Amino acid sequence: MNIISKKTNLMNEEKKRKYWRILRTAVIALCLLTFTPLVIPEGVYKPELFGVPYSLWTSFLITVTLVFLTYLGTKVHRGVDEEEVEL
Amino acid sequence: MKFWILVFGIAYAALLIFASLKSYKKGRSVEDFMMAGSSIGILLGVLTYAAALFSTFTFLGMPDFFRRHGIGAWIFLAVSDGAMVFFILWFGYHIRMKVKQLGFKGVAGMISKCYGNKWAGYTIFLTAFLFLIPYVGIQIQGISIFMGAAFPDFIPSWGWAVGIVIVMLVYSEIGGLKAIVYSDAIQGVLLLTVLWIIGYNCLNAFGGVAAMFDKIEVDNVALLSTPGPEGLFSAQFFIASMIAIVMIPVTQPQLTTRLVVMKSMKSMHLMAVAVGAFAILVITPTIFIGMYGASFLKDTLVDLPIAQQAGVFFKETFLYRQPNFVAALALVGLIAAGLSTTNAQIFALGSEIRGLLNLEEKKVMRITKFSIFIFALIALVFSELIKDQIAMLARVSFAGTALMGPMILLGILSNRKVSTFIILASFAALVIFLLSLGGIIPGSYFGLRLDLTLFVSLSVVALISYGMGKK
């Protein structure tokens, strides 16, 4: 039983690490995207969304996504498990 | 309005007294006083971190940034904050692990231990001192502008500033970090409430979000896109700002301390997510307030020199054009914002001094408290010297402290003996940045901003140092 649960834990850890790497890449990509003309085209404020100028609504969506990715990060970051083990 | 100021003022003072008495413990240790027993839970953690981060700068600086430079202000702060909260997950884990190994008496002290070199700590302390003092000055100045407007000809503006500093010193002396955390919690709630009430009123004046942007399209269309009317919001400005803001938990000791004193890693993680949500909630109404100023105060402000525009905008939007009880609440909210951020920063500087001293506990406590008093006095003097550009001063403060980021990160992450060259390089970068702020050398080279160039260069030095370190 012990060996099985250790194996499952290892697999879970592997998965968590993989997801953490994916999240990290997604966050960096989103940040870089913000600095491109795709989000901040010079002097352009259309298309609007519900009357909100283009760069504002796109960057608002990016902010919400970053916070959501942070939430997902809390689920897969190794920190929580490691501190619990040490305590 | 004076009646409402009295009502809200007394309620706020009562809450502060209650919080400081609740935090006061006879015979407490230095650890209790400076680190609040390292047992801050999720709710207090969110509010104290958010309050230390979102201060007068958010309350006044962000509406003014939206008014002058337009919607790009969202990217400058909100997107950067989104990146920062994700970064907290990673950095918070590493610093808490390092604290378990080395203990924590301030960032400067810990980094000195990491490098086995006191100059690392001295350089970090000097940078924190040089760049946090202007930031504290902003808070004090923001409060005196408002108090002067609410009670004209009562006492000069420096009188209000002195009063605020005295309250802050007495308060932190009685309650230590725990009292500051409680006052942050009160401030966090007040800040959010006041900004939304005023933001809602401003939005109502337009008749809705779409109507607001339609009117801005007529009044000043450049506000609706980047780089804004004055050309400030370039991609480079955003990149440099994001780096500076993401580095805040690393380089601003009042925020690093808050990551360390959280009860557990789980609380710290959830705190990061909640701070991200708080950032969205608190920055959103500043758009409405800023746009109100850009549209409805356009004619009032147009003939004024730029240095005076911000002050008139604040008084008109937050006080004169609001119902009396809202204006009074805004005033008390602003005092709370300024007081808690000032407290947090001055206290953190005291804590940094503590980490650099190697003396008997009682002596350390005395010196720390005396330093807190001296820092408060210096900030008071500085607050009288600045009169505009609140958001820009805050950004300079973030950028200045961010220069220490690579050295601190290398110290925390590396388990190897690394070259101390990064200490010298960081000190040199600090001097170069100061020279550019003083106008002695240019602020950009070959089209690249100096702060960005310095940060990238230091990061490269840190990477090379790490690679060359001995296991």
Side-chain angles (χ1 to χ4, degrees):
Chain A
M1 274 298 278
N2 257 347
I3 296 171
I4 293 171
S5 76
K6 267 186 187 173
K7 263 195 170 176
T8 320
N9 275 346
L10 271 177
M11 269 172 66
N12 279 341
E13 263 184 36
E14 271 301 304
K15 264 189 183 172
K16 279 187 174 181
R17 274 189 197 169
K18 190 176 132 196
Y19 291 145
W20 172 249
R21 274 199 297 273
I22 293 171
L23 286 177
R24 233 171 32 187
T25 313
V27 167
I28 293 170
L30 267 179
C31 290
L32 292 178
L33 189 76
T34 310
F35 309 129
T36 65
L38 206 66
V39 176
I40 48 167
E42 211 176 305
V44 176
Y45 62 97
K46 284 184 176 172
E48 294 163 309
L49 185 71
F50 305 117
V52 178
Y54 177 73
S55 295
L56 186 57
W57 70 257
T58 46
S59 58
F60 185 88
L61 284 182
I62 287 175
T63 313
V64 173
T65 312
L66 286 172
V67 176
F68 181 65
L69 292 177
T70 307
Y71 171 72
L72 293 181
T74 64
K75 302 282 172 201
V76 297
H77 191 270
R78 60 190 168 141
V80 179
D81 303 334
E82 282 190 24
E83 193 176 66
E84 273 169 8
V85 169
E86 289 201 9
L87 287 172
Chain B
M1 181 168 74
K2 284 176 186 159
F3 167 76
W4 287 109
I5 293 177
L6 213 63
V7 170
F8 292 129
I10 289 172
Y12 177 60
L15 282 171
L16 276 191
I17 292 169
F18 175 72
S20 59
L21 293 178
K22 197 170 174 321
S23 318
Y24 181 74
K25 237 203 264 174
K26 236 183 174 180
R28 65 193 158 186
S29 64
V30 180
E31 196 62 23
D32 274 341
F33 183 76
M34 300 302 296
M35 304 298 289
S38 297
S39 60
I40 305 297
I42 167 83
L43 185 64
L44 268 184
V46 174
L47 290 171
T48 187
Y49 193 94
L53 188 65
F54 303 111
S55 52
T56 314
F57 152 63
T58 317
F59 205 101
L60 302 179
M62 282 309 289
D64 197 42
F65 234 32
F66 277 110
R67 177 186 70 82
R68 274 184 71 182
H69 304 289
I71 51 97
W74 180 272
I75 300 172
F76 158 68
L77 191 64
V79 176
S80 303
D81 281 341
M84 182 196 69
V85 293
F86 187 84
F87 181 75
I88 286 177
L89 298 187
W90 178 81
F91 174 68
Y93 165 76
H94 287 287
I95 193 164
R96 287 175 72 93
M97 287 300 171
K98 202 71 174 185
V99 166
K100 277 187 180 169
Q101 285 174 26
L102 301 176
F104 187 76
K105 290 181 180 176
V107 179
M110 194 173 81
I111 298 301
S112 285
K113 277 188 195 172
C114 291
Y115 284 96
N117 187 322
K118 278 202 162 182
W119 288 101
Y122 294 150
T123 307
I124 289 169
F125 177 76
L126 179 68
T127 312
F129 174 78
L130 287 173
F131 290 103
L132 287 190
I133 290 295
Y135 198 72
V136 174
I138 293 168
Q139 320 294 325
I140 300 173
Q141 216 254 337
I143 297 171
S144 41
I145 287 179
F146 272 76
M147 293 307 279
F151 299 98
D153 308 322
F154 182 58
I155 52 171
S157 75
W158 61 263
W160 293 112
V162 170
I164 289 295
V165 170
I166 291 173
V167 171
M168 182 201 82
L169 286 172
V170 171
Y171 185 69
S172 57
E173 164 66 28
I174 295 173
L177 183 62
K178 195 132 206 183
I180 293 173
V181 167
Y182 284 131
S183 81
D184 282 349
I186 301 167
Q187 186 245 309
V189 174
L190 256 176
L191 179 74
L192 198 60
T193 312
V194 171
L195 278 177
W196 267 104
I197 293 175
I198 294 176
Y200 177 78
N201 287 346
C202 289
L203 189 63
N204 248 356
F206 286 104
V209 173
M212 176 175 79
F213 289 119
D214 282 346
K215 189 155 188 321
I216 294 294
E217 191 178 7
V218 177
D219 289 331
N220 189 351
V221 71
L223 289 171
L224 299 181
S225 61
T226 58
E230 295 175 32
L232 179 72
F233 291 139
S234 61
Q236 240 190 87
F237 178 90
F238 287 136
I239 294 170
S241 301
M242 182 178 275
I243 290 173
I245 290 171
V246 167
M247 281 294 118
I248 284 177
V250 182
T251 55
Q252 300 236 343
Q254 73 279 14
L255 293 161
T256 318
T257 305
R258 277 156 178 75
L259 297 183
V260 173
V261 299
M262 290 299 292
K263 200 160 60 184
S264 66
M265 196 79 82
K266 196 174 178 185
S267 319
M268 189 203 69
H269 277 174
L270 292 175
M271 182 270 278
V273 180
V275 166
F278 193 95
I280 294 172
L281 281 176
V282 90
I283 300 169
T284 302
T286 65
I287 305 174
F288 312 144
I289 302 170
M291 292 302 152
Y292 179 91
S295 185
F296 291 96
L297 294 172
K298 193 179 159 199
D299 299 331
T300 316
L301 301 177
V302 73
D303 295 328
L304 294 174
I306 286 181
Q308 285 175 23
Q309 284 183 5
V312 173
F313 163 60
F314 299 147
K315 288 174 198 168
E316 287 287 335
T317 321
F318 286 86
L319 297 181
Y320 304 150
R321 296 183 181 217
Q322 298 296 333
N324 281 343
F325 84 95
V326 175
L329 196 61
L331 200 66
V332 175
L334 186 78
I335 293 172
L339 196 64
S340 74
T341 308
T342 308
N343 243 341
Q345 286 172 337
I346 295 285
F347 202 81
L349 282 175
S351 175
E352 292 302 299
I353 283 269
R354 174 189 168 224
L356 295 172
L357 298 173
N358 202 4
L359 298 166
E360 174 205 341
E361 199 176 85
K362 269 191 179 170
K363 257 190 184 169
V364 172
M365 186 88 146
R366 261 205 309 275
I367 295 174
T368 305
K369 286 182 176 176
F370 182 69
S371 319
I372 289 173
F373 175 72
I374 296 294
F375 294 143
L377 277 187
I378 297 171
L380 185 61
V381 172
F382 193 86
S383 73
E384 281 304 297
L385 303 177
I386 46 166
K387 294 290 171 200
D388 65 333
Q389 298 279 346
I390 287 180
M392 281 309 281
L393 260 173
R395 197 205 163 280
V396 166
S397 164
F398 299 156
T401 50
L403 291 177
M404 296 299 118
M407 176 168 69
I408 297 174
L409 282 175
L410 178 63
I412 289 171
L413 296 178
S414 181
N415 284 321
R416 310 169 178 198
K417 175 94 182 132
V418 290
S419 157
T420 50
F421 178 66
I422 183 78
I423 303 171
L424 194 67
S426 301
F427 184 76
L430 171 67
V431 173
I432 293 169
F433 189 58
L434 286 173
L435 288 175
S436 82
L437 289 180
I440 298 166
I441 58 169
S444 73
Y445 296 85
F446 309 110
L448 277 175
R449 294 177 63 93
L450 181 66
D451 52 354
L452 194 57
T453 312
L454 288 173
F455 187 86
V456 172
S457 310
L458 286 173
S459 304
V460 172
V461 171
L463 280 174
I464 294 171
S465 300
Y466 182 77
M468 289 167 61
K470 290 175 191 156
K471 275 194 180 173

